[in-house]
Amino acid sequence: MMDLKGKFTHIFFDADDTLWENEQFFRDAEAEFAALLADYTSPEGVQQMLWQKQEENIPLFGYGSKTYMIGMMDAALEICGGRLTDDIYHGVKQIVTDLAFHEFELKEGVNETLEALQDRYVLVVATKGDLTEQLYKYRKSGLDRYFHHCEVMENKNEANYLELAAKNNLAPEQILMVGNSVKSDIAPVVNIGGTAIHTPHDVIWVHEIMDMPQSDRIIEVQSIREVVSFLL
């Protein structure tokens, strides 16, 4: 087992689907969206159109439920031939409203893990998405008592992680990232010389899917609880 004890001062944690549940609520919203448009096309057709519109909108508007609503509206317009009925328009707004204010659910083992680590390390949330939305979830989680602060990043690529290191007065190789997304939390971190702990999640957003890179600076665990054994 790789021993990380004494090698890092800071630990950076992803938020969505690492500290709390997120993607499953988006999947539920997609199912409601497909049902709303059932008279126009198949669930698979709705899904493909929504993914296409999301890919087009993310570079323009970033991540989060607001961009998701734009994507739904764009997809619905295309599927419905350029015109939305009142029912579909209001239905999309209700789906996204429910998504934005869904019941909050921490991942199992998060509190115990953070409590064990907080006195030995500087803990930082490193997430991406809409600033207001991510900070709202961070404060609602009640986990702010464990963390030094929360960084809401524009994206999670190599350049963003180099900025994260500089903002925290760390060299790139001093970054230790814990997260569920190979594309956002693992690959870019090891690419700049950092170390990453992968905490898998059953539901993965299609935008985040990629193969795990080969590196001796990647640790794979089955639960966030296992992180402690590598660090204490």
Side-chain angles (χ1 to χ4, degrees), residues 27-74:
R27 294 294 177 90
D28 293 343
E30 288 169 11
E32 291 182 43
F33 184 56
L36 187 66
L37 296 172
D39 290 342
Y40 296 86
T41 189
S42 67
E44 294 77 18
V46 174
Q47 184 70 78
Q48 288 299 321
M49 183 61 67
L50 179 58
W51 283 346
Q52 177 185 325
K53 295 305 180 182
Q54 288 294 96
E55 290 294 316
E56 292 173 3
N57 285 322
I58 286 171
L60 296 172
F61 303 112
Y63 299 89
S65 58
K66 295 174 187 174
T67 303
Y68 204 66
M69 182 169 70
I70 295 170
M72 279 192 172
M73 289 296 187
D74 288 348

mmCIF file of all heavy atoms in Angstrom, residues 27-74:
data_model
loop_
_atom_site.group_PDB
_atom_site.id
_atom_site.type_symbol
_atom_site.label_atom_id
_atom_site.label_comp_id
_atom_site.label_asym_id
_atom_site.label_seq_id
_atom_site.Cartn_x
_atom_site.Cartn_y
_atom_site.Cartn_z
ATOM 1 N N ARG A 27 -29.735 12.466 -13.400
ATOM 2 C CA ARG A 27 -30.316 11.342 -14.142
ATOM 3 C C ARG A 27 -31.829 11.288 -13.943
ATOM 4 O O ARG A 27 -32.590 11.006 -14.881
ATOM 5 C CB ARG A 27 -29.679 10.026 -13.699
ATOM 6 C CG ARG A 27 -28.205 9.904 -14.055
ATOM 7 C CD ARG A 27 -27.973 9.842 -15.560
ATOM 8 N NE ARG A 27 -26.561 9.792 -15.869
ATOM 9 C CZ ARG A 27 -25.854 8.667 -15.985
ATOM 10 N NH1 ARG A 27 -26.457 7.504 -15.818
ATOM 11 N NH2 ARG A 27 -24.581 8.711 -16.281
ATOM 12 N N ASP A 28 -32.270 11.550 -12.723
ATOM 13 C CA ASP A 28 -33.709 11.578 -12.461
ATOM 14 C C ASP A 28 -34.380 12.702 -13.251
ATOM 15 O O ASP A 28 -35.482 12.529 -13.790
ATOM 16 C CB ASP A 28 -33.968 11.776 -10.966
ATOM 17 C CG ASP A 28 -33.515 10.587 -10.129
ATOM 18 O OD1 ASP A 28 -33.302 9.497 -10.695
ATOM 19 O OD2 ASP A 28 -33.363 10.759 -8.902
ATOM 20 N N ALA A 29 -33.695 13.849 -13.338
ATOM 21 C CA ALA A 29 -34.232 14.979 -14.106
ATOM 22 C C ALA A 29 -34.328 14.623 -15.586
ATOM 23 O O ALA A 29 -35.300 14.984 -16.266
ATOM 24 C CB ALA A 29 -33.351 16.212 -13.906
ATOM 25 N N GLU A 30 -33.320 13.907 -16.094
ATOM 26 C CA GLU A 30 -33.341 13.494 -17.495
ATOM 27 C C GLU A 30 -34.505 12.547 -17.780
ATOM 28 O O GLU A 30 -35.130 12.617 -18.849
ATOM 29 C CB GLU A 30 -32.009 12.833 -17.854
ATOM 30 C CG GLU A 30 -30.859 13.827 -17.934
ATOM 31 C CD GLU A 30 -29.509 13.146 -18.029
ATOM 32 O OE1 GLU A 30 -29.477 11.906 -18.238
ATOM 33 O OE2 GLU A 30 -28.494 13.841 -17.897
ATOM 34 N N ALA A 31 -34.808 11.666 -16.829
ATOM 35 C CA ALA A 31 -35.937 10.745 -17.005
ATOM 36 C C ALA A 31 -37.254 11.523 -17.051
ATOM 37 O O ALA A 31 -38.142 11.219 -17.865
ATOM 38 C CB ALA A 31 -35.959 9.716 -15.875
ATOM 39 N N GLU A 32 -37.386 12.539 -16.193
ATOM 40 C CA GLU A 32 -38.593 13.380 -16.212
ATOM 41 C C GLU A 32 -38.687 14.154 -17.523
ATOM 42 O O GLU A 32 -39.777 14.333 -18.088
ATOM 43 C CB GLU A 32 -38.557 14.356 -15.040
ATOM 44 C CG GLU A 32 -38.721 13.706 -13.676
ATOM 45 C CD GLU A 32 -38.714 14.749 -12.565
ATOM 46 O OE1 GLU A 32 -39.356 15.801 -12.738
ATOM 47 O OE2 GLU A 32 -38.045 14.514 -11.547
ATOM 48 N N PHE A 33 -37.551 14.629 -18.016
ATOM 49 C CA PHE A 33 -37.508 15.375 -19.278
ATOM 50 C C PHE A 33 -37.931 14.478 -20.442
ATOM 51 O O PHE A 33 -38.710 14.893 -21.319
ATOM 52 C CB PHE A 33 -36.096 15.911 -19.492
ATOM 53 C CG PHE A 33 -35.926 16.780 -20.698
ATOM 54 C CD1 PHE A 33 -36.703 17.913 -20.900
ATOM 55 C CD2 PHE A 33 -34.944 16.483 -21.636
ATOM 56 C CE1 PHE A 33 -36.533 18.728 -22.012
ATOM 57 C CE2 PHE A 33 -34.755 17.292 -22.744
ATOM 58 C CZ PHE A 33 -35.550 18.405 -22.942
ATOM 59 N N ALA A 34 -37.441 13.242 -20.449
ATOM 60 C CA ALA A 34 -37.822 12.297 -21.499
ATOM 61 C C ALA A 34 -39.323 12.012 -21.453
ATOM 62 O O ALA A 34 -39.979 11.921 -22.496
ATOM 63 C CB ALA A 34 -37.024 11.008 -21.354
ATOM 64 N N ALA A 35 -39.889 11.887 -20.254
ATOM 65 C CA ALA A 35 -41.324 11.650 -20.115
ATOM 66 C C ALA A 35 -42.122 12.846 -20.609
ATOM 67 O O ALA A 35 -43.187 12.694 -21.222
ATOM 68 C CB ALA A 35 -41.657 11.349 -18.656
ATOM 69 N N LEU A 36 -41.598 14.053 -20.357
ATOM 70 C CA LEU A 36 -42.277 15.272 -20.800
ATOM 71 C C LEU A 36 -42.379 15.329 -22.325
ATOM 72 O O LEU A 36 -43.347 15.861 -22.879
ATOM 73 C CB LEU A 36 -41.507 16.490 -20.272
ATOM 74 C CG LEU A 36 -42.115 17.868 -20.468
ATOM 75 C CD1 LEU A 36 -43.400 18.020 -19.655
ATOM 76 C CD2 LEU A 36 -41.103 18.945 -20.060
ATOM 77 N N LEU A 37 -41.377 14.765 -23.008
ATOM 78 C CA LEU A 37 -41.323 14.831 -24.476
ATOM 79 C C LEU A 37 -41.682 13.494 -25.133
ATOM 80 O O LEU A 37 -41.368 13.271 -26.295
ATOM 81 C CB LEU A 37 -39.932 15.266 -24.919
ATOM 82 C CG LEU A 37 -39.513 16.672 -24.483
ATOM 83 C CD1 LEU A 37 -38.050 16.921 -24.803
ATOM 84 C CD2 LEU A 37 -40.386 17.729 -25.156
ATOM 85 N N ALA A 38 -42.341 12.627 -24.374
ATOM 86 C CA ALA A 38 -42.640 11.276 -24.861
ATOM 87 C C ALA A 38 -43.494 11.273 -26.122
ATOM 88 O O ALA A 38 -43.420 10.329 -26.926
ATOM 89 C CB ALA A 38 -43.324 10.469 -23.765
ATOM 90 N N ASP A 39 -44.315 12.313 -26.341
ATOM 91 C CA ASP A 39 -45.164 12.363 -27.531
ATOM 92 C C ASP A 39 -44.387 12.728 -28.789
ATOM 93 O O ASP A 39 -44.926 12.635 -29.901
ATOM 94 C CB ASP A 39 -46.291 13.385 -27.338
ATOM 95 C CG ASP A 39 -47.321 12.939 -26.310
ATOM 96 O OD1 ASP A 39 -47.360 11.728 -26.003
ATOM 97 O OD2 ASP A 39 -48.065 13.797 -25.801
ATOM 98 N N TYR A 40 -43.122 13.135 -28.622
ATOM 99 C CA TYR A 40 -42.343 13.632 -29.762
ATOM 100 C C TYR A 40 -41.248 12.676 -30.214
ATOM 101 O O TYR A 40 -40.940 12.608 -31.407
ATOM 102 C CB TYR A 40 -41.706 14.985 -29.420
ATOM 103 C CG TYR A 40 -42.712 16.078 -29.180
ATOM 104 C CD1 TYR A 40 -43.281 16.277 -27.919
ATOM 105 C CD2 TYR A 40 -43.117 16.921 -30.213
ATOM 106 C CE1 TYR A 40 -44.211 17.276 -27.698
ATOM 107 C CE2 TYR A 40 -44.051 17.925 -30.001
ATOM 108 C CZ TYR A 40 -44.595 18.091 -28.733
ATOM 109 O OH TYR A 40 -45.523 19.093 -28.524
ATOM 110 N N THR A 41 -40.646 11.951 -29.286
ATOM 111 C CA THR A 41 -39.567 11.034 -29.654
ATOM 112 C C THR A 41 -39.307 10.068 -28.504
ATOM 113 O O THR A 41 -39.925 10.173 -27.437
ATOM 114 C CB THR A 41 -38.274 11.819 -30.002
ATOM 115 O OG1 THR A 41 -37.311 10.910 -30.547
ATOM 116 C CG2 THR A 41 -37.678 12.496 -28.778
ATOM 117 N N SER A 42 -38.398 9.144 -28.727
ATOM 118 C CA SER A 42 -38.085 8.111 -27.731
ATOM 119 C C SER A 42 -37.206 8.684 -26.615
ATOM 120 O O SER A 42 -36.560 9.725 -26.792
ATOM 121 C CB SER A 42 -37.332 6.963 -28.407
ATOM 122 O OG SER A 42 -36.053 7.415 -28.842
ATOM 123 N N PRO A 43 -37.157 8.001 -25.461
ATOM 124 C CA PRO A 43 -36.240 8.445 -24.400
ATOM 125 C C PRO A 43 -34.792 8.532 -24.876
ATOM 126 O O PRO A 43 -34.051 9.434 -24.481
ATOM 127 C CB PRO A 43 -36.409 7.357 -23.327
ATOM 128 C CG PRO A 43 -37.782 6.814 -23.548
ATOM 129 C CD PRO A 43 -37.995 6.859 -25.040
ATOM 130 N N GLU A 44 -34.386 7.582 -25.738
ATOM 131 C CA GLU A 44 -33.019 7.609 -26.265
ATOM 132 C C GLU A 44 -32.796 8.840 -27.143
ATOM 133 O O GLU A 44 -31.718 9.460 -27.097
ATOM 134 C CB GLU A 44 -32.735 6.343 -27.077
ATOM 135 C CG GLU A 44 -32.713 5.064 -26.272
ATOM 136 C CD GLU A 44 -34.108 4.564 -25.900
ATOM 137 O OE1 GLU A 44 -35.095 5.000 -26.548
ATOM 138 O OE2 GLU A 44 -34.211 3.755 -24.951
ATOM 139 N N GLY A 45 -33.811 9.217 -27.917
ATOM 140 C CA GLY A 45 -33.698 10.408 -28.756
ATOM 141 C C GLY A 45 -33.587 11.673 -27.929
ATOM 142 O O GLY A 45 -32.808 12.583 -28.251
ATOM 143 N N VAL A 46 -34.371 11.744 -26.861
ATOM 144 C CA VAL A 46 -34.298 12.892 -25.950
ATOM 145 C C VAL A 46 -32.913 12.966 -25.317
ATOM 146 O O VAL A 46 -32.290 14.031 -25.255
ATOM 147 C CB VAL A 46 -35.381 12.799 -24.856
ATOM 148 C CG1 VAL A 46 -35.192 13.912 -23.832
ATOM 149 C CG2 VAL A 46 -36.779 12.871 -25.468
ATOM 150 N N GLN A 47 -32.410 11.818 -24.848
ATOM 151 C CA GLN A 47 -31.110 11.779 -24.182
ATOM 152 C C GLN A 47 -29.992 12.239 -25.106
ATOM 153 O O GLN A 47 -29.131 13.046 -24.726
ATOM 154 C CB GLN A 47 -30.825 10.360 -23.701
ATOM 155 C CG GLN A 47 -29.537 10.223 -22.905
ATOM 156 C CD GLN A 47 -29.629 10.887 -21.548
ATOM 157 O OE1 GLN A 47 -30.214 10.326 -20.631
ATOM 158 N NE2 GLN A 47 -29.086 12.077 -21.414
ATOM 159 N N GLN A 48 -29.977 11.737 -26.320
ATOM 160 C CA GLN A 48 -28.928 12.105 -27.267
ATOM 161 C C GLN A 48 -28.970 13.594 -27.601
ATOM 162 O O GLN A 48 -27.924 14.257 -27.683
ATOM 163 C CB GLN A 48 -29.065 11.275 -28.545
ATOM 164 C CG GLN A 48 -28.675 9.817 -28.383
ATOM 165 C CD GLN A 48 -27.225 9.637 -27.958
ATOM 166 O OE1 GLN A 48 -26.326 10.346 -28.414
ATOM 167 N NE2 GLN A 48 -26.993 8.687 -27.059
ATOM 168 N N MET A 49 -30.174 14.129 -27.790
ATOM 169 C CA MET A 49 -30.290 15.554 -28.095
ATOM 170 C C MET A 49 -29.857 16.415 -26.914
ATOM 171 O O MET A 49 -29.183 17.439 -27.087
ATOM 172 C CB MET A 49 -31.730 15.891 -28.495
ATOM 173 C CG MET A 49 -31.938 17.360 -28.904
ATOM 174 S SD MET A 49 -30.937 17.848 -30.335
ATOM 175 C CE MET A 49 -31.718 16.833 -31.621
ATOM 176 N N LEU A 50 -30.222 15.994 -25.712
ATOM 177 C CA LEU A 50 -29.822 16.750 -24.528
ATOM 178 C C LEU A 50 -28.315 16.746 -24.368
ATOM 179 O O LEU A 50 -27.709 17.782 -24.080
ATOM 180 C CB LEU A 50 -30.492 16.162 -23.279
ATOM 181 C CG LEU A 50 -30.155 16.838 -21.947
ATOM 182 C CD1 LEU A 50 -30.519 18.321 -21.976
ATOM 183 C CD2 LEU A 50 -30.873 16.138 -20.797
ATOM 184 N N TRP A 51 -27.674 15.587 -24.541
ATOM 185 C CA TRP A 51 -26.212 15.517 -24.438
ATOM 186 C C TRP A 51 -25.557 16.419 -25.482
ATOM 187 O O TRP A 51 -24.579 17.112 -25.200
ATOM 188 C CB TRP A 51 -25.747 14.076 -24.625
ATOM 189 C CG TRP A 51 -25.956 13.220 -23.415
ATOM 190 C CD1 TRP A 51 -26.249 13.634 -22.142
ATOM 191 C CD2 TRP A 51 -25.909 11.800 -23.365
ATOM 192 N NE1 TRP A 51 -26.389 12.562 -21.304
ATOM 193 C CE2 TRP A 51 -26.185 11.428 -22.006
ATOM 194 C CE3 TRP A 51 -25.672 10.796 -24.308
ATOM 195 C CZ2 TRP A 51 -26.213 10.097 -21.597
ATOM 196 C CZ3 TRP A 51 -25.693 9.467 -23.895
ATOM 197 C CH2 TRP A 51 -25.965 9.119 -22.561
ATOM 198 N N GLN A 52 -26.113 16.414 -26.692
ATOM 199 C CA GLN A 52 -25.549 17.255 -27.760
ATOM 200 C C GLN A 52 -25.625 18.727 -27.388
ATOM 201 O O GLN A 52 -24.646 19.476 -27.536
ATOM 202 C CB GLN A 52 -26.309 17.007 -29.063
ATOM 203 C CG GLN A 52 -25.848 17.892 -30.213
ATOM 204 C CD GLN A 52 -26.720 17.700 -31.446
ATOM 205 O OE1 GLN A 52 -27.190 16.586 -31.736
ATOM 206 N NE2 GLN A 52 -26.970 18.783 -32.178
ATOM 207 N N LYS A 53 -26.779 19.153 -26.877
ATOM 208 C CA LYS A 53 -26.948 20.564 -26.519
ATOM 209 C C LYS A 53 -26.084 20.937 -25.314
ATOM 210 O O LYS A 53 -25.567 22.059 -25.237
ATOM 211 C CB LYS A 53 -28.422 20.858 -26.229
ATOM 212 C CG LYS A 53 -29.332 20.702 -27.446
ATOM 213 C CD LYS A 53 -28.863 21.550 -28.619
ATOM 214 C CE LYS A 53 -29.776 21.395 -29.828
ATOM 215 N NZ LYS A 53 -29.287 22.182 -30.991
ATOM 216 N N GLN A 54 -25.929 19.995 -24.377
ATOM 217 C CA GLN A 54 -25.051 20.262 -23.236
ATOM 218 C C GLN A 54 -23.611 20.481 -23.695
ATOM 219 O O GLN A 54 -22.924 21.393 -23.223
ATOM 220 C CB GLN A 54 -25.108 19.095 -22.247
ATOM 221 C CG GLN A 54 -26.407 18.999 -21.470
ATOM 222 C CD GLN A 54 -26.612 20.179 -20.530
ATOM 223 O OE1 GLN A 54 -27.286 21.138 -20.853
ATOM 224 N NE2 GLN A 54 -26.015 20.106 -19.359
ATOM 225 N N GLU A 55 -23.143 19.646 -24.619
ATOM 226 C CA GLU A 55 -21.784 19.786 -25.125
ATOM 227 C C GLU A 55 -21.598 21.129 -25.820
ATOM 228 O O GLU A 55 -20.518 21.734 -25.743
ATOM 229 C CB GLU A 55 -21.472 18.649 -26.099
ATOM 230 C CG GLU A 55 -21.339 17.289 -25.452
ATOM 231 C CD GLU A 55 -20.145 17.204 -24.521
ATOM 232 O OE1 GLU A 55 -19.056 17.679 -24.891
ATOM 233 O OE2 GLU A 55 -20.299 16.667 -23.411
ATOM 234 N N GLU A 56 -22.615 21.600 -26.484
ATOM 235 C CA GLU A 56 -22.533 22.900 -27.171
ATOM 236 C C GLU A 56 -22.530 24.060 -26.175
ATOM 237 O O GLU A 56 -21.860 25.076 -26.399
ATOM 238 C CB GLU A 56 -23.720 23.060 -28.129
ATOM 239 C CG GLU A 56 -23.699 22.110 -29.320
ATOM 240 C CD GLU A 56 -24.978 22.190 -30.140
ATOM 241 O OE1 GLU A 56 -25.856 23.026 -29.804
ATOM 242 O OE2 GLU A 56 -25.117 21.409 -31.109
ATOM 243 N N ASN A 57 -23.266 23.908 -25.082
ATOM 244 C CA ASN A 57 -23.462 25.033 -24.160
ATOM 245 C C ASN A 57 -22.405 25.157 -23.065
ATOM 246 O O ASN A 57 -22.154 26.263 -22.570
ATOM 247 C CB ASN A 57 -24.852 24.928 -23.509
ATOM 248 C CG ASN A 57 -25.970 25.316 -24.463
ATOM 249 O OD1 ASN A 57 -25.818 26.241 -25.246
ATOM 250 N ND2 ASN A 57 -27.079 24.603 -24.408
ATOM 251 N N ILE A 58 -21.792 24.042 -22.674
ATOM 252 C CA ILE A 58 -20.813 24.106 -21.587
ATOM 253 C C ILE A 58 -19.669 25.075 -21.874
ATOM 254 O O ILE A 58 -19.305 25.873 -21.004
ATOM 255 C CB ILE A 58 -20.306 22.691 -21.238
ATOM 256 C CG1 ILE A 58 -21.390 21.915 -20.486
ATOM 257 C CG2 ILE A 58 -19.033 22.761 -20.388
ATOM 258 C CD1 ILE A 58 -21.073 20.444 -20.299
ATOM 259 N N PRO A 59 -19.081 25.070 -23.077
ATOM 260 C CA PRO A 59 -18.005 26.043 -23.327
ATOM 261 C C PRO A 59 -18.468 27.494 -23.239
ATOM 262 O O PRO A 59 -17.669 28.390 -22.933
ATOM 263 C CB PRO A 59 -17.557 25.704 -24.758
ATOM 264 C CG PRO A 59 -17.968 24.284 -24.963
ATOM 265 C CD PRO A 59 -19.253 24.140 -24.203
ATOM 266 N N LEU A 60 -19.742 27.735 -23.477
ATOM 267 C CA LEU A 60 -20.274 29.103 -23.441
ATOM 268 C C LEU A 60 -20.721 29.523 -22.050
ATOM 269 O O LEU A 60 -20.468 30.652 -21.616
ATOM 270 C CB LEU A 60 -21.479 29.215 -24.399
ATOM 271 C CG LEU A 60 -21.205 29.006 -25.880
ATOM 272 C CD1 LEU A 60 -22.523 28.967 -26.651
ATOM 273 C CD2 LEU A 60 -20.316 30.127 -26.423
ATOM 274 N N PHE A 61 -21.373 28.614 -21.333
ATOM 275 C CA PHE A 61 -22.029 28.981 -20.072
ATOM 276 C C PHE A 61 -21.476 28.271 -18.840
ATOM 277 O O PHE A 61 -21.912 28.559 -17.722
ATOM 278 C CB PHE A 61 -23.536 28.699 -20.175
ATOM 279 C CG PHE A 61 -24.202 29.400 -21.326
ATOM 280 C CD1 PHE A 61 -24.695 28.687 -22.411
ATOM 281 C CD2 PHE A 61 -24.326 30.782 -21.330
ATOM 282 C CE1 PHE A 61 -25.309 29.335 -23.474
ATOM 283 C CE2 PHE A 61 -24.946 31.437 -22.391
ATOM 284 C CZ PHE A 61 -25.429 30.721 -23.465
ATOM 285 N N GLY A 62 -20.521 27.342 -19.024
ATOM 286 C CA GLY A 62 -19.967 26.637 -17.884
ATOM 287 C C GLY A 62 -20.862 25.496 -17.430
ATOM 288 O O GLY A 62 -21.696 24.994 -18.182
ATOM 289 N N TYR A 63 -20.677 25.103 -16.159
ATOM 290 C CA TYR A 63 -21.377 23.956 -15.603
ATOM 291 C C TYR A 63 -22.469 24.407 -14.641
ATOM 292 O O TYR A 63 -22.468 25.535 -14.178
ATOM 293 C CB TYR A 63 -20.388 23.051 -14.871
ATOM 294 C CG TYR A 63 -19.304 22.499 -15.765
ATOM 295 C CD1 TYR A 63 -18.116 23.211 -15.955
ATOM 296 C CD2 TYR A 63 -19.456 21.289 -16.420
ATOM 297 C CE1 TYR A 63 -17.109 22.707 -16.787
ATOM 298 C CE2 TYR A 63 -18.470 20.779 -17.241
ATOM 299 C CZ TYR A 63 -17.298 21.506 -17.420
ATOM 300 O OH TYR A 63 -16.309 21.006 -18.246
ATOM 301 N N GLY A 64 -23.391 23.484 -14.327
ATOM 302 C CA GLY A 64 -24.413 23.792 -13.334
ATOM 303 C C GLY A 64 -25.819 23.671 -13.867
ATOM 304 O O GLY A 64 -26.050 23.469 -15.062
ATOM 305 N N SER A 65 -26.791 23.823 -12.974
ATOM 306 C CA SER A 65 -28.188 23.611 -13.343
ATOM 307 C C SER A 65 -28.714 24.686 -14.295
ATOM 308 O O SER A 65 -29.628 24.428 -15.077
ATOM 309 C CB SER A 65 -29.067 23.541 -12.087
ATOM 310 O OG SER A 65 -28.953 24.711 -11.319
ATOM 311 N N LYS A 66 -28.139 25.903 -14.252
ATOM 312 C CA LYS A 66 -28.581 26.943 -15.191
ATOM 313 C C LYS A 66 -28.243 26.549 -16.620
ATOM 314 O O LYS A 66 -29.074 26.669 -17.538
ATOM 315 C CB LYS A 66 -27.927 28.280 -14.838
ATOM 316 C CG LYS A 66 -28.347 28.843 -13.495
ATOM 317 C CD LYS A 66 -27.546 30.085 -13.148
ATOM 318 C CE LYS A 66 -27.835 30.548 -11.736
ATOM 319 N NZ LYS A 66 -26.966 31.672 -11.320
ATOM 320 N N THR A 67 -27.026 26.078 -16.822
ATOM 321 C CA THR A 67 -26.637 25.596 -18.147
ATOM 322 C C THR A 67 -27.463 24.391 -18.537
ATOM 323 O O THR A 67 -27.815 24.210 -19.708
ATOM 324 C CB THR A 67 -25.136 25.254 -18.163
ATOM 325 O OG1 THR A 67 -24.389 26.413 -17.789
ATOM 326 C CG2 THR A 67 -24.682 24.802 -19.535
ATOM 327 N N TYR A 68 -27.776 23.570 -17.554
ATOM 328 C CA TYR A 68 -28.601 22.395 -17.805
ATOM 329 C C TYR A 68 -29.983 22.807 -18.310
ATOM 330 O O TYR A 68 -30.535 22.195 -19.226
ATOM 331 C CB TYR A 68 -28.718 21.601 -16.510
ATOM 332 C CG TYR A 68 -29.033 20.142 -16.703
ATOM 333 C CD1 TYR A 68 -28.131 19.280 -17.306
ATOM 334 C CD2 TYR A 68 -30.246 19.615 -16.256
ATOM 335 C CE1 TYR A 68 -28.410 17.939 -17.464
ATOM 336 C CE2 TYR A 68 -30.535 18.272 -16.407
ATOM 337 C CZ TYR A 68 -29.606 17.438 -17.005
ATOM 338 O OH TYR A 68 -29.896 16.107 -17.176
ATOM 339 N N MET A 69 -30.561 23.862 -17.722
ATOM 340 C CA MET A 69 -31.874 24.340 -18.161
ATOM 341 C C MET A 69 -31.793 24.865 -19.593
ATOM 342 O O MET A 69 -32.690 24.601 -20.410
ATOM 343 C CB MET A 69 -32.396 25.432 -17.236
ATOM 344 C CG MET A 69 -33.788 25.926 -17.647
ATOM 345 S SD MET A 69 -34.589 26.996 -16.427
ATOM 346 C CE MET A 69 -33.566 28.458 -16.549
ATOM 347 N N ILE A 70 -30.733 25.601 -19.916
ATOM 348 C CA ILE A 70 -30.565 26.091 -21.286
ATOM 349 C C ILE A 70 -30.490 24.915 -22.252
ATOM 350 O O ILE A 70 -31.106 24.916 -23.326
ATOM 351 C CB ILE A 70 -29.313 26.983 -21.397
ATOM 352 C CG1 ILE A 70 -29.489 28.245 -20.560
ATOM 353 C CG2 ILE A 70 -29.047 27.356 -22.854
ATOM 354 C CD1 ILE A 70 -28.219 29.071 -20.421
ATOM 355 N N GLY A 71 -29.724 23.886 -21.859
ATOM 356 C CA GLY A 71 -29.609 22.710 -22.701
ATOM 357 C C GLY A 71 -30.940 22.008 -22.900
ATOM 358 O O GLY A 71 -31.261 21.550 -24.002
ATOM 359 N N MET A 72 -31.729 21.919 -21.828
ATOM 360 C CA MET A 72 -33.053 21.307 -21.937
ATOM 361 C C MET A 72 -33.966 22.113 -22.858
ATOM 362 O O MET A 72 -34.694 21.545 -23.679
ATOM 363 C CB MET A 72 -33.686 21.157 -20.551
ATOM 364 C CG MET A 72 -33.217 19.957 -19.776
ATOM 365 S SD MET A 72 -34.247 19.668 -18.308
ATOM 366 C CE MET A 72 -33.587 18.083 -17.766
ATOM 367 N N MET A 73 -33.938 23.424 -22.703
ATOM 368 C CA MET A 73 -34.765 24.273 -23.560
ATOM 369 C C MET A 73 -34.349 24.135 -25.024
ATOM 370 O O MET A 73 -35.191 24.027 -25.919
ATOM 371 C CB MET A 73 -34.662 25.732 -23.119
ATOM 372 C CG MET A 73 -35.356 26.044 -21.803
ATOM 373 S SD MET A 73 -37.148 25.809 -21.867
ATOM 374 C CE MET A 73 -37.618 26.457 -20.252
ATOM 375 N N ASP A 74 -33.040 24.139 -25.273
ATOM 376 C CA ASP A 74 -32.542 23.992 -26.647
ATOM 377 C C ASP A 74 -32.937 22.638 -27.228
ATOM 378 O O ASP A 74 -33.351 22.534 -28.393
ATOM 379 C CB ASP A 74 -31.020 24.134 -26.673
ATOM 380 C CG ASP A 74 -30.552 25.557 -26.447
ATOM 381 O OD1 ASP A 74 -31.386 26.483 -26.493
ATOM 382 O OD2 ASP A 74 -29.335 25.749 -26.228
#
